[in-house]
Amino acid sequence: MVARLLLTFAICRLIVTVGLNVEPAELLRLGFGGGHVSTERHDLEAASLDFGLMARAEASPLVVFHPSLAEDVARAVRAAYSGGFVVSARGHGHSINGQARAAGGVVVKMTSGGGGGRVAAEEGYVDAWGGELWIDVLRRTLEYGMAPRSWTDYLYLTVGGTLSNAGISGQAFHHGPQISNVHELDVVTGKGEILTCSEGQNPELFHAALGGLGQFGIITRARIALEPAPQRVRWIRVLYSDFSTFTADQEYLISLHDRKFDYVEGFVIVDEGLINNWRSSFFSPRNPVKISSLGTNGGVLYCLEVTKNYGESNADSIDEEVEALMKNLNFIPSSVFSTDLLYVDFLDRVHKAELKLRSKNLWEVPHPWLNLFVPKSRIADFDRGVFKGILGNKNKTSGPILIYPMNKDKALLPWRLVMTDNVYNDRVTADGEVCVCGTLDMIRTIKSQLPPDSISHIMKEIIALLLGQWDERTSVVTPDEDIFYLVALLRSALDNGEETQSLEYLTDQNHRILEFCVQEGIDIKQYLPHYTSEAEWAGHFGAKWDKFRRNKMQFDPKHILATGQGIFKPGLIPQPRAAAW
Ligand code: FAD
């Protein structure tokens, strides 16, 4: 083993000093203790495609590497760093535009055997491998009666893949995105170092990697916050014909503090067929719905979707709790659809739709998806110009269109935060009000700096609240408003002769939507962004761009990581010639 490493070291030095040309596969095979190297054609082809089926096949890697441990990932990156080739982590390949590709380099296939991670139930976290699927994390944590707090709608995505974006669903208004529910990461940087990072340890890397589009390192472990798992879910859908009533109700629901729903989403129905489509199967067959029966005269309908979790302790009061929340809403009275199911079945709901589509050969088709964060102040303009304008009734059942709001700054009520320069202290005043004293930064870092048993109950509650906030220090970008909407056009292109369902038509509509936002000055941010020029990326990141570039220089100076995102060209910045082994 030592002799192999020395040989590898010598070869790497030769490569970097005289430019010796060694194939990545050879280089990988030389140095490796664990993991599996594949140059099989079908592996390479599979690694060049993704869920979007939009990327072209010429972007194939030369090698697909299956690591067993973080150390294997680190060796692959060190080999790439020395050998001058690119390397991308691939989670479950559920990107749309080839983001996990590594043209001419190495794809590190992160998906694992599905253990789900190591649960520390008392401490309230799970340590999960970066390539773990969220469904496996859920199954594992449920064995301990626990579950992560923030989700995506679909669970066959990897921990590293969603944390590299944000990870959002109907719980985000309450718990923040998944990136706000992580205590610690292990990251293999672009230099091949394995670094543990958190609020208190290597915080620049921690914040950079969260929402970092894979640019700063490969996440090999994430410590994910857990809560006691609910047992059942009451799942309700109601319809609206008036957009402003619909959004007012959504915004009201996400503003509630104590008694609230656990999940708030919604979707747009621009076509009669859509109401019974794959994400809406909930309506049928027991509740077939006809738009015409709701008196909208063929116009656009909006569906609010909410859930309330419950267990044995509150099973008796669930009806009352739901009723109390629903009575303040202004939906179409005859349009209430309610069902009740196990928590795990609710979270795994999209997989059932996937199985149905797979059985009809409708899953592995091109997906020209477009996900936008739209500021609250312009969502009505977006409705007029896009849902009622560009899409109108030209969107023939090609996929769901989600719309739901999230809020960045959740008030820290019922606590009053008192900021002082240097003192951390919490106390209850004579009239029962809790004052927490300390700078916000002190409060944010307190968990990592104080021994757990010295943190008061009040402080723990506040830390939990702060964990659930969107954190400006992460790499993800959102509109410059406290409340913003996710609008997700999740459409499938079909080759069935219908022009309005063709890839060209849907792609053109996406361009028109983006152009409309530019023309109208609607300051949207793409979620799961896709751009092709540096100027566009700079525009996307806005005020965060300089920091994003500085982080890149620090953590991936040769620009070898996640080149499929198309943000930085490999090797833009010449580095001192030294081997990294
Ligand atoms: P991949 O596509 O494999 O990789 C995505 C990017 O992350 C690539 O650049 C890759 O290099 C990088 N990457 C992968 N693993 C790592 C790692 N361990 N460390 C560092 N970088 C890494 N998103 C939501 O937020 N909410 C949703 O509800 C939601 N629903 C979805 C439903 C479906 C059916 C699909 C297809 C996607 C959905 N997404 C959703 C989007 C999804 O979160 C992203 O596409 C995510 O990147 C997919 O994860 P993946 O594991 O497949 O990543």
Side-chain angles (χ1 to χ4, degrees), residues 50-51 88-96 99-101 110 130-131 151-154 156-162 164-169 213-215 217-220 265 278-279 350 363 369 404 527-528 562 565:
D50 58 23
F51 179 80
S88 286
R90 179 181 169 96
H92 209 213
H94 276 49
S95 293
I96 297 300
Q99 284 90 337
R101 288 180 309 183
M110 295 294 291
W151 291 100
T152 48
D153 292 348
Y154 176 66
Y156 289 73
L157 308 168
T158 64
V159 165
T162 69
S164 297
N165 287 291
I168 49 169
S169 181
L213 306 176
Q215 296 304 302
I218 297 181
I219 297 167
T220 53
E265 282 203 10
W278 62 279
R279 288 289 281 264
V350 175
W363 185 255
W369 285 11
Y404 58 89
Y527 177 56
L528 315 169
Q565 295 276 3

Coordinates of all heavy atoms in Angstrom, one line a residue, residues 50-51 88-96 99-101 110 130-131 151-154 156-162 164-169 213-215 217-220 265 278-279 350 363 369 404 527-528 562 565, ligand 1:
D50 N -29.5 13.3 -16.7 CA -30.1 13.5 -15.5 C -31.6 13.5 -15.6 O -32.1 13.3 -16.8 CB -29.6 14.8 -14.8 CG -29.8 16.0 -15.6 OD1 -30.7 16.0 -16.5 OD2 -29.0 17.0 -15.4
F51 N -32.3 13.8 -14.6 CA -33.8 13.8 -14.6 C -34.4 14.7 -15.7 O -35.4 14.4 -16.4 CB -34.4 14.2 -13.2 CG -35.8 14.3 -13.2 CD1 -36.6 13.1 -13.0 CD2 -36.5 15.5 -13.3 CE1 -38.0 13.2 -12.9 CE2 -37.9 15.5 -13.2 CZ -38.6 14.4 -13.0
S88 N -17.1 16.0 -10.3 CA -18.4 16.4 -9.8 C -19.0 15.3 -8.9 O -19.0 14.2 -9.3 CB -19.3 16.7 -10.9 OG -19.0 17.9 -11.5
A89 N -19.5 15.7 -7.8 CA -20.3 14.8 -7.0 C -21.7 14.6 -7.8 O -22.2 15.6 -8.4 CB -20.6 15.3 -5.6
R90 N -22.1 13.4 -7.8 CA -23.5 13.2 -8.3 C -24.3 12.5 -7.2 O -23.9 11.5 -6.7 CB -23.4 12.2 -9.6 CG -24.8 11.9 -10.1 CD -24.6 10.9 -11.3 NE -25.9 10.4 -11.8 CZ -26.6 10.9 -12.8 NH1 -26.2 12.0 -13.4 NH2 -27.8 10.3 -13.1
G91 N -25.4 13.2 -6.9 CA -26.3 12.6 -5.9 C -27.2 11.6 -6.5 O -26.7 10.5 -7.0
H92 N -28.5 11.9 -6.7 CA -29.4 11.0 -7.4 C -29.6 11.4 -8.8 O -30.5 10.9 -9.5 CB -30.7 10.9 -6.6 CG -31.3 9.5 -6.8 ND1 -32.7 9.3 -6.9 CD2 -30.8 8.3 -7.0 CE1 -32.9 8.1 -7.1 NE2 -31.8 7.4 -7.2
G93 N -28.8 12.4 -9.3 CA -28.9 12.9 -10.7 C -30.3 13.5 -11.0 O -30.8 13.4 -12.2
H94 N -30.9 14.2 -10.1 CA -32.2 14.7 -10.3 C -32.2 16.2 -10.7 O -33.2 16.9 -10.5 CB -33.2 14.4 -9.1 CG -33.8 13.1 -9.2 ND1 -33.0 11.9 -9.5 CD2 -35.1 12.6 -9.2 CE1 -33.8 10.9 -9.6 NE2 -35.1 11.3 -9.4
S95 N -31.0 16.6 -11.2 CA -30.9 18.0 -11.7 C -31.7 18.0 -13.1 O -32.0 17.0 -13.6 CB -29.5 18.3 -11.9 OG -28.8 18.4 -10.7
I96 N -31.8 19.2 -13.6 CA -32.5 19.4 -14.9 C -31.5 19.7 -16.0 O -31.7 19.3 -17.1 CB -33.5 20.6 -14.7 CG1 -34.5 20.3 -13.6 CG2 -34.2 21.0 -16.0 CD1 -35.4 19.0 -13.9
Q99 N -26.3 19.6 -14.1 CA -25.5 20.2 -13.0 C -24.5 19.2 -12.4 O -23.5 19.7 -11.8 CB -26.4 20.8 -12.0 CG -27.1 22.2 -12.3 CD -28.4 22.0 -13.0 OE1 -28.7 21.0 -13.6 NE2 -29.2 23.1 -13.0
A100 N -24.8 17.9 -12.5 CA -23.9 17.0 -11.8 C -23.0 16.3 -12.8 O -22.3 15.3 -12.4 CB -24.8 15.9 -11.1
R101 N -22.8 16.9 -14.0 CA -21.9 16.3 -15.0 C -20.5 16.7 -14.7 O -20.2 17.7 -14.0 CB -22.3 16.7 -16.4 CG -23.5 16.1 -16.9 CD -23.8 16.6 -18.3 NE -23.8 18.1 -18.4 CZ -24.0 18.8 -19.4 NH1 -24.4 18.2 -20.6 NH2 -24.0 20.1 -19.4
M110 N -22.3 9.4 -5.4 CA -22.4 9.5 -3.9 C -23.5 8.6 -3.3 O -23.4 8.3 -2.1 CB -22.7 10.9 -3.5 CG -21.6 11.9 -3.8 SD -20.1 11.6 -2.9 CE -20.6 12.0 -1.2
G130 N -23.4 12.0 2.7 CA -23.9 13.0 1.7 C -24.7 12.4 0.6 O -25.5 13.1 0.0
G131 N -24.5 11.1 0.3 CA -25.2 10.5 -0.8 C -26.4 9.7 -0.3 O -27.0 9.0 -1.1
W151 N -38.3 19.5 4.7 CA -38.4 18.5 3.6 C -38.3 19.1 2.2 O -38.5 20.3 2.0 CB -39.6 17.6 3.8 CG -39.6 16.8 5.0 CD1 -40.2 17.1 6.2 CD2 -38.8 15.6 5.2 NE1 -39.9 16.1 7.1 CE2 -39.0 15.2 6.5 CE3 -38.0 14.8 4.4 CZ2 -38.4 14.0 7.1 CZ3 -37.4 13.7 4.9 CH2 -37.6 13.3 6.2
T152 N -38.2 18.2 1.3 CA -38.5 18.5 -0.1 C -39.8 17.7 -0.4 O -40.1 16.8 0.3 CB -37.4 18.1 -1.1 OG1 -37.0 16.7 -0.8 CG2 -36.2 19.0 -1.0
D153 N -40.5 18.0 -1.5 CA -41.7 17.3 -1.8 C -41.5 15.9 -2.1 O -42.4 15.0 -2.0 CB -42.5 17.9 -3.0 CG -43.0 19.3 -2.6 OD1 -43.0 19.7 -1.5 OD2 -43.4 20.0 -3.6
Y154 N -40.3 15.6 -2.6 CA -39.9 14.3 -3.2 C -38.7 13.8 -2.4 O -37.8 14.6 -2.2 CB -39.6 14.5 -4.7 CG -39.2 13.3 -5.4 CD1 -40.0 12.2 -5.6 CD2 -37.9 13.3 -6.0 CE1 -39.6 11.1 -6.4 CE2 -37.5 12.2 -6.8 CZ -38.3 11.1 -7.0 OH -37.9 10.0 -7.7
Y156 N -36.6 11.1 -3.0 CA -35.6 10.3 -3.7 C -34.5 11.2 -4.3 O -34.2 11.3 -5.5 CB -36.2 9.3 -4.8 CG -36.9 8.2 -4.1 CD1 -38.1 8.4 -3.5 CD2 -36.4 6.9 -4.0 CE1 -38.8 7.4 -2.8 CE2 -37.0 5.9 -3.3 CZ -38.3 6.2 -2.7 OH -38.9 5.2 -2.1
L157 N -34.1 12.1 -3.4 CA -33.0 13.1 -3.7 C -32.0 12.9 -2.6 O -32.3 12.4 -1.5 CB -33.6 14.5 -3.6 CG -34.8 14.8 -4.4 CD1 -35.5 16.1 -4.0 CD2 -34.5 14.8 -5.9
T158 N -30.7 13.3 -2.8 CA -29.7 13.0 -1.8 C -29.6 14.2 -0.8 O -29.9 15.3 -1.2 CB -28.3 12.7 -2.4 OG1 -27.8 13.8 -3.1 CG2 -28.4 11.4 -3.3
V159 N -29.0 13.9 0.3 CA -28.8 14.9 1.3 C -27.8 16.0 0.7 O -28.1 17.2 0.8 CB -28.2 14.3 2.6 CG1 -27.5 15.3 3.5 CG2 -29.2 13.4 3.3
G160 N -26.7 15.5 0.1 CA -25.8 16.5 -0.4 C -26.4 17.3 -1.6 O -26.0 18.5 -1.8
G161 N -27.2 16.6 -2.4 CA -27.8 17.3 -3.5 C -28.8 18.4 -3.1 O -28.7 19.5 -3.7
T162 N -29.6 18.2 -2.1 CA -30.6 19.2 -1.8 C -29.9 20.3 -0.9 O -30.2 21.5 -1.1 CB -31.8 18.7 -1.1 OG1 -31.5 18.2 0.2 CG2 -32.5 17.6 -1.8
S164 N -27.0 21.4 -1.3 CA -26.3 22.2 -2.3 C -27.2 23.3 -2.9 O -26.7 24.2 -3.6 CB -25.6 21.4 -3.3 OG -24.6 20.5 -2.7
N165 N -28.5 23.1 -2.8 CA -29.4 24.1 -3.3 C -30.1 24.9 -2.2 O -29.9 26.0 -2.0 CB -30.4 23.4 -4.2 CG -29.8 22.9 -5.5 OD1 -29.5 23.8 -6.3 ND2 -29.6 21.7 -5.7
A166 N -31.0 24.2 -1.5 CA -31.7 24.8 -0.3 C -32.5 23.7 0.4 O -32.4 23.5 1.6 CB -32.5 26.0 -0.6
G167 N -33.3 23.1 -0.5 CA -34.2 22.0 0.1 C -35.5 22.7 0.6 O -35.5 23.0 1.8
I168 N -36.5 22.8 -0.2 CA -37.7 23.5 0.3 C -39.0 22.7 0.0 O -39.0 21.9 -0.9 CB -37.9 24.9 -0.4 CG1 -37.7 24.8 -1.9 CG2 -36.9 25.9 0.2 CD1 -38.1 26.0 -2.6
S169 N -39.9 23.0 0.9 CA -41.2 22.3 0.7 C -42.2 23.2 1.6 O -41.8 24.3 2.1 CB -41.2 20.9 1.2 OG -42.5 20.3 1.0
L213 N -24.2 25.0 -4.5 CA -24.2 24.4 -5.9 C -23.0 23.6 -6.1 O -22.5 23.4 -7.2 CB -24.3 25.5 -6.9 CG -25.5 26.5 -6.8 CD1 -25.5 27.6 -7.9 CD2 -26.9 25.8 -6.9
G214 N -22.5 23.0 -5.0 CA -21.4 22.0 -5.2 C -20.0 22.7 -5.5 O -19.1 22.0 -5.8
Q215 N -20.0 24.0 -5.4 CA -18.8 24.8 -5.8 C -17.6 24.7 -4.9 O -16.5 25.0 -5.3 CB -19.1 26.2 -6.1 CG -20.1 26.4 -7.2 CD -19.7 25.8 -8.5 OE1 -18.6 26.1 -9.0 NE2 -20.4 24.8 -9.0
G217 N -17.0 22.3 -2.3 CA -16.6 21.0 -1.8 C -17.7 20.0 -1.9 O -18.8 20.3 -2.3
I218 N -17.3 18.7 -1.6 CA -18.3 17.6 -1.7 C -18.7 17.3 -0.3 O -17.8 17.0 0.6 CB -17.7 16.4 -2.4 CG1 -17.3 16.8 -3.9 CG2 -18.6 15.2 -2.4 CD1 -16.7 15.6 -4.7
I219 N -20.0 17.4 0.0 CA -20.5 17.1 1.3 C -20.5 15.6 1.5 O -21.2 14.9 0.8 CB -21.9 17.7 1.5 CG1 -21.9 19.2 1.3 CG2 -22.5 17.3 2.8 CD1 -23.3 19.8 1.1
T220 N -19.7 15.1 2.5 CA -19.7 13.7 2.8 C -20.6 13.3 4.0 O -21.0 12.2 4.1 CB -18.3 13.2 2.9 OG1 -17.6 13.9 3.9 CG2 -17.5 13.3 1.6
E265 N -48.7 24.8 1.1 CA -48.3 24.9 -0.3 C -49.5 25.3 -1.1 O -50.5 25.7 -0.5 CB -47.7 23.6 -0.8 CG -46.3 23.3 -0.4 CD -45.5 22.3 -1.3 OE1 -46.0 22.0 -2.4 OE2 -44.4 21.9 -0.9
W278 N -50.8 14.3 -12.2 CA -50.1 13.4 -11.3 C -49.9 14.0 -9.9 O -49.9 13.2 -8.9 CB -48.7 13.0 -11.8 CG -47.7 14.1 -12.1 CD1 -47.7 15.0 -13.2 CD2 -46.6 14.5 -11.3 NE1 -46.7 15.8 -13.1 CE2 -46.0 15.6 -12.0 CE3 -46.1 14.1 -10.1 CZ2 -44.8 16.2 -11.5 CZ3 -44.9 14.7 -9.7 CH2 -44.3 15.7 -10.4
R279 N -49.8 15.3 -9.7 CA -49.6 15.8 -8.3 C -51.0 16.1 -7.7 O -51.1 16.3 -6.5 CB -48.8 17.2 -8.4 CG -47.4 17.0 -8.7 CD -46.6 16.4 -7.5 NE -46.3 17.3 -6.5 CZ -45.2 18.0 -6.4 NH1 -44.2 17.8 -7.3 NH2 -45.0 18.8 -5.5
V350 N -45.0 12.0 -3.5 CA -44.7 12.1 -4.9 C -44.2 10.8 -5.5 O -44.3 10.6 -6.7 CB -43.7 13.3 -5.1 CG1 -43.3 13.4 -6.5 CG2 -44.4 14.6 -4.6
W363 N -42.3 8.9 -17.1 CA -41.3 9.5 -16.1 C -40.0 9.9 -16.8 O -39.5 11.0 -16.6 CB -41.1 8.5 -15.0 CG -40.3 9.1 -13.8 CD1 -39.0 8.8 -13.6 CD2 -40.7 10.0 -12.8 NE1 -38.5 9.4 -12.4 CE2 -39.6 10.2 -11.9 CE3 -41.9 10.7 -12.5 CZ2 -39.6 11.0 -10.8 CZ3 -41.9 11.5 -11.4 CH2 -40.8 11.7 -10.6
W369 N -38.0 22.1 -16.5 CA -38.6 22.7 -15.3 C -38.0 24.1 -15.1 O -36.8 24.4 -15.4 CB -38.3 21.9 -14.1 CG -39.1 20.6 -14.0 CD1 -39.9 20.1 -14.9 CD2 -39.2 19.7 -12.9 NE1 -40.5 19.0 -14.5 CE2 -40.1 18.7 -13.2 CE3 -38.6 19.7 -11.6 CZ2 -40.4 17.7 -12.3 CZ3 -38.9 18.7 -10.7 CH2 -39.8 17.6 -11.1
Y404 N -46.2 28.8 -3.5 CA -46.4 28.9 -2.1 C -45.4 29.9 -1.5 O -44.2 30.0 -2.0 CB -46.4 27.6 -1.3 CG -45.1 26.8 -1.5 CD1 -44.0 26.9 -0.6 CD2 -45.0 25.8 -2.5 CE1 -42.9 26.1 -0.7 CE2 -43.9 25.0 -2.6 CZ -42.8 25.1 -1.7 OH -41.7 24.4 -1.8
Y527 N -34.5 29.4 -8.6 CA -34.1 28.4 -7.6 C -33.7 27.2 -8.5 O -34.3 27.0 -9.5 CB -35.3 28.0 -6.7 CG -35.0 26.9 -5.8 CD1 -33.9 27.0 -4.9 CD2 -35.7 25.7 -5.8 CE1 -33.6 25.9 -4.0 CE2 -35.4 24.7 -4.9 CZ -34.4 24.8 -4.1 OH -34.0 23.8 -3.2
L528 N -32.6 26.5 -8.1 CA -32.0 25.5 -8.9 C -31.5 26.2 -10.2 O -31.9 25.8 -11.3 CB -32.9 24.3 -9.2 CG -33.7 23.7 -8.1 CD1 -34.8 22.8 -8.6 CD2 -32.9 23.0 -7.1
A562 N -17.8 20.5 -9.6 CA -19.1 20.8 -10.1 C -19.2 21.8 -11.2 O -19.9 22.7 -11.3 CB -20.0 21.3 -8.9
Q565 N -22.4 22.9 -13.3 CA -23.2 24.1 -13.1 C -22.9 25.2 -14.0 O -23.7 26.2 -14.2 CB -23.0 24.6 -11.6 CG -23.4 23.6 -10.5 CD -24.9 23.7 -10.2 OE1 -25.6 24.4 -10.8 NE2 -25.3 22.9 -9.2
Ligands
FAD1 P1 -27.8 15.9 -8.3 O1 -28.7 16.3 -9.4 O2 -27.1 14.6 -8.4 O3 -26.7 17.1 -8.0 C1 -27.1 18.4 -8.0 C2 -25.9 19.3 -7.8 O4 -25.4 19.1 -6.5 C3 -24.7 19.0 -8.7 O5 -24.0 20.2 -9.0 C4 -23.8 18.1 -7.9 O6 -22.5 18.2 -8.3 C5 -24.0 18.7 -6.5 N1 -23.9 17.6 -5.5 C6 -24.5 16.4 -5.5 N2 -24.2 15.8 -4.3 C7 -23.3 16.6 -3.7 C8 -22.6 16.5 -2.5 N3 -22.7 15.4 -1.7 N4 -21.8 17.5 -2.1 C9 -21.7 18.7 -2.9 N5 -22.4 18.8 -4.0 C10 -23.2 17.8 -4.4 N6 -36.0 20.6 -4.6 C11 -36.6 21.2 -3.6 O7 -35.9 22.0 -2.9 N7 -37.8 20.9 -3.2 C12 -38.6 20.0 -3.8 O8 -39.7 19.7 -3.4 C13 -38.0 19.3 -4.9 N8 -38.7 18.3 -5.5 C14 -38.2 17.7 -6.6 C15 -38.9 16.7 -7.2 C16 -38.4 16.0 -8.3 C17 -39.2 14.9 -8.9 C18 -37.1 16.3 -8.7 C19 -36.5 15.6 -9.9 C20 -36.4 17.4 -8.1 C21 -36.9 18.0 -7.0 N9 -36.2 19.0 -6.4 C22 -36.7 19.7 -5.3 C23 -34.9 19.5 -6.9 C24 -33.7 18.8 -6.2 O9 -33.6 19.2 -4.8 C25 -32.4 19.2 -6.9 O10 -32.5 18.9 -8.2 C26 -31.3 18.4 -6.2 O11 -30.1 18.9 -6.7 C27 -31.4 17.0 -6.6 O12 -30.6 16.2 -5.7 P2 -29.7 15.0 -6.3 O13 -29.3 14.3 -5.2 O14 -30.4 14.3 -7.4 O15 -28.5 16.0 -6.9

